[in-house]
PDB file of all heavy atoms in Angstrom:
ATOM      1  N   ALA I 532    -170.294  23.010   4.888  1.00  0.00           N
ATOM      2  CA  ALA I 532    -171.736  23.034   4.504  1.00  0.00           C
ATOM      3  C   ALA I 532    -172.611  22.814   5.749  1.00  0.00           C
ATOM      4  O   ALA I 532    -173.675  23.435   5.875  1.00  0.00           O
ATOM      5  CB  ALA I 532    -171.983  21.963   3.455  1.00  0.00           C
ATOM      6  N   ASP I 533    -172.193  21.889   6.640  1.00  0.00           N
ATOM      7  CA  ASP I 533    -172.976  21.645   7.854  1.00  0.00           C
ATOM      8  C   ASP I 533    -173.038  22.916   8.704  1.00  0.00           C
ATOM      9  O   ASP I 533    -174.107  23.265   9.284  1.00  0.00           O
ATOM     10  CB  ASP I 533    -172.375  20.507   8.651  1.00  0.00           C
ATOM     11  CG  ASP I 533    -172.451  19.187   7.915  1.00  0.00           C
ATOM     12  OD1 ASP I 533    -173.263  19.061   7.029  1.00  0.00           O
ATOM     13  OD2 ASP I 533    -171.669  18.263   8.242  1.00  0.00           O
ATOM     14  N   LYS I 534    -171.917  23.624   8.837  1.00  0.00           N
ATOM     15  CA  LYS I 534    -171.922  24.873   9.600  1.00  0.00           C
ATOM     16  C   LYS I 534    -172.808  25.910   9.037  1.00  0.00           C
ATOM     17  O   LYS I 534    -173.526  26.619   9.733  1.00  0.00           O
ATOM     18  CB  LYS I 534    -170.459  25.415   9.650  1.00  0.00           C
ATOM     19  CG  LYS I 534    -169.511  24.604  10.565  1.00  0.00           C
ATOM     20  CD  LYS I 534    -169.849  24.817  12.011  1.00  0.00           C
ATOM     21  CE  LYS I 534    -168.787  24.151  12.915  1.00  0.00           C
ATOM     22  NZ  LYS I 534    -169.111  24.363  14.350  1.00  0.00           N
ATOM     23  N   GLU I 535    -172.856  26.023   7.683  1.00  0.00           N
ATOM     24  CA  GLU I 535    -173.685  27.013   7.043  1.00  0.00           C
ATOM     25  C   GLU I 535    -175.177  26.660   7.245  1.00  0.00           C
ATOM     26  O   GLU I 535    -175.998  27.575   7.505  1.00  0.00           O
ATOM     27  CB  GLU I 535    -173.395  27.057   5.544  1.00  0.00           C
ATOM     28  CG  GLU I 535    -171.989  27.642   5.262  1.00  0.00           C
ATOM     29  CD  GLU I 535    -171.612  27.495   3.758  1.00  0.00           C
ATOM     30  OE1 GLU I 535    -172.338  26.785   3.051  1.00  0.00           O
ATOM     31  OE2 GLU I 535    -170.600  28.080   3.346  1.00  0.00           O
ATOM     32  N   ARG I 536    -175.502  25.387   7.190  1.00  0.00           N
ATOM     33  CA  ARG I 536    -176.890  24.969   7.447  1.00  0.00           C
ATOM     34  C   ARG I 536    -177.297  25.280   8.893  1.00  0.00           C
ATOM     35  O   ARG I 536    -178.394  25.710   9.180  1.00  0.00           O
ATOM     36  CB  ARG I 536    -177.103  23.521   7.131  1.00  0.00           C
ATOM     37  CG  ARG I 536    -177.143  23.171   5.645  1.00  0.00           C
ATOM     38  CD  ARG I 536    -177.663  21.781   5.424  1.00  0.00           C
ATOM     39  NE  ARG I 536    -176.723  20.768   5.910  1.00  0.00           N
ATOM     40  CZ  ARG I 536    -175.751  20.255   5.186  1.00  0.00           C
ATOM     41  NH1 ARG I 536    -175.615  20.595   3.929  1.00  0.00           N
ATOM     42  NH2 ARG I 536    -174.968  19.324   5.707  1.00  0.00           N
ATOM     43  N   GLU I 537    -176.368  25.044   9.822  1.00  0.00           N
ATOM     44  CA  GLU I 537    -176.676  25.363  11.238  1.00  0.00           C
ATOM     45  C   GLU I 537    -176.913  26.855  11.427  1.00  0.00           C
ATOM     46  O   GLU I 537    -177.818  27.284  12.140  1.00  0.00           O
ATOM     47  CB  GLU I 537    -175.523  24.894  12.136  1.00  0.00           C
ATOM     48  CG  GLU I 537    -175.363  23.368  12.228  1.00  0.00           C
ATOM     49  CD  GLU I 537    -174.082  22.983  12.982  1.00  0.00           C
ATOM     50  OE1 GLU I 537    -173.421  23.889  13.512  1.00  0.00           O
ATOM     51  OE2 GLU I 537    -173.824  21.784  13.083  1.00  0.00           O
ATOM     52  N   ALA I 538    -176.092  27.656  10.758  1.00  0.00           N
ATOM     53  CA  ALA I 538    -176.283  29.116  10.867  1.00  0.00           C
ATOM     54  C   ALA I 538    -177.603  29.540  10.284  1.00  0.00           C
ATOM     55  O   ALA I 538    -178.324  30.401  10.860  1.00  0.00           O
ATOM     56  CB  ALA I 538    -175.128  29.822  10.175  1.00  0.00           C
ATOM     57  N   GLU I 539    -177.995  28.954   9.130  1.00  0.00           N
ATOM     58  CA  GLU I 539    -179.266  29.294   8.523  1.00  0.00           C
ATOM     59  C   GLU I 539    -180.433  28.895   9.441  1.00  0.00           C
ATOM     60  O   GLU I 539    -181.411  29.631   9.582  1.00  0.00           O
ATOM     61  CB  GLU I 539    -179.399  28.567   7.161  1.00  0.00           C
ATOM     62  CG  GLU I 539    -178.431  29.158   6.125  1.00  0.00           C
ATOM     63  CD  GLU I 539    -178.458  28.295   4.839  1.00  0.00           C
ATOM     64  OE1 GLU I 539    -179.193  27.305   4.860  1.00  0.00           O
ATOM     65  OE2 GLU I 539    -177.764  28.674   3.888  1.00  0.00           O
ATOM     66  N   LEU I 540    -180.308  27.691  10.082  1.00  0.00           N
ATOM     67  CA  LEU I 540    -181.366  27.258  10.978  1.00  0.00           C
ATOM     68  C   LEU I 540    -181.480  28.181  12.180  1.00  0.00           C
ATOM     69  O   LEU I 540    -182.579  28.523  12.606  1.00  0.00           O
ATOM     70  CB  LEU I 540    -181.072  25.809  11.423  1.00  0.00           C
ATOM     71  CG  LEU I 540    -182.034  25.211  12.465  1.00  0.00           C
ATOM     72  CD1 LEU I 540    -183.417  25.165  11.823  1.00  0.00           C
ATOM     73  CD2 LEU I 540    -181.597  23.829  12.855  1.00  0.00           C
ATOM     74  N   GLU I 541    -180.339  28.611  12.733  1.00  0.00           N
ATOM     75  CA  GLU I 541    -180.380  29.499  13.899  1.00  0.00           C
ATOM     76  C   GLU I 541    -181.020  30.875  13.504  1.00  0.00           C
ATOM     77  O   GLU I 541    -181.792  31.429  14.290  1.00  0.00           O
ATOM     78  CB  GLU I 541    -178.953  29.719  14.401  1.00  0.00           C
ATOM     79  CG  GLU I 541    -178.840  30.697  15.592  1.00  0.00           C
ATOM     80  CD  GLU I 541    -179.593  30.203  16.789  1.00  0.00           C
ATOM     81  OE1 GLU I 541    -179.742  28.964  16.934  1.00  0.00           O
ATOM     82  OE2 GLU I 541    -180.024  31.027  17.612  1.00  0.00           O
ATOM     83  N   THR I 542    -180.680  31.334  12.267  1.00  0.00           N
ATOM     84  CA  THR I 542    -181.323  32.592  11.809  1.00  0.00           C
ATOM     85  C   THR I 542    -182.812  32.451  11.704  1.00  0.00           C
ATOM     86  O   THR I 542    -183.587  33.325  12.103  1.00  0.00           O
ATOM     87  CB  THR I 542    -180.705  32.980  10.466  1.00  0.00           C
ATOM     88  OG1 THR I 542    -179.300  33.149  10.628  1.00  0.00           O
ATOM     89  CG2 THR I 542    -181.329  34.296   9.946  1.00  0.00           C
ATOM     90  N   ALA I 543    -183.242  31.313  11.125  1.00  0.00           N
ATOM     91  CA  ALA I 543    -184.688  31.068  10.965  1.00  0.00           C
ATOM     92  C   ALA I 543    -185.388  30.974  12.347  1.00  0.00           C
ATOM     93  O   ALA I 543    -186.485  31.524  12.528  1.00  0.00           O
ATOM     94  CB  ALA I 543    -184.929  29.799  10.148  1.00  0.00           C
ATOM     95  N   GLN I 544    -184.754  30.278  13.298  1.00  0.00           N
ATOM     96  CA  GLN I 544    -185.361  30.137  14.590  1.00  0.00           C
ATOM     97  C   GLN I 544    -185.423  31.496  15.322  1.00  0.00           C
ATOM     98  O   GLN I 544    -186.393  31.787  15.996  1.00  0.00           O
ATOM     99  CB  GLN I 544    -184.531  29.145  15.445  1.00  0.00           C
ATOM    100  CG  GLN I 544    -184.694  27.701  14.934  1.00  0.00           C
ATOM    101  CD  GLN I 544    -183.745  26.736  15.709  1.00  0.00           C
ATOM    102  OE1 GLN I 544    -182.745  27.208  16.275  1.00  0.00           O
ATOM    103  NE2 GLN I 544    -184.063  25.485  15.693  1.00  0.00           N
TER     104      GLN I 544
END
Side-chain angles (χ1 to χ4, degrees):
D533 295 339
K534 288 288 187 179
E535 291 172 349
R536 285 193 293 269
E537 290 174 5
E539 291 173 357
L540 178 60
E541 178 62 28
T542 300
Q544 290 175 338

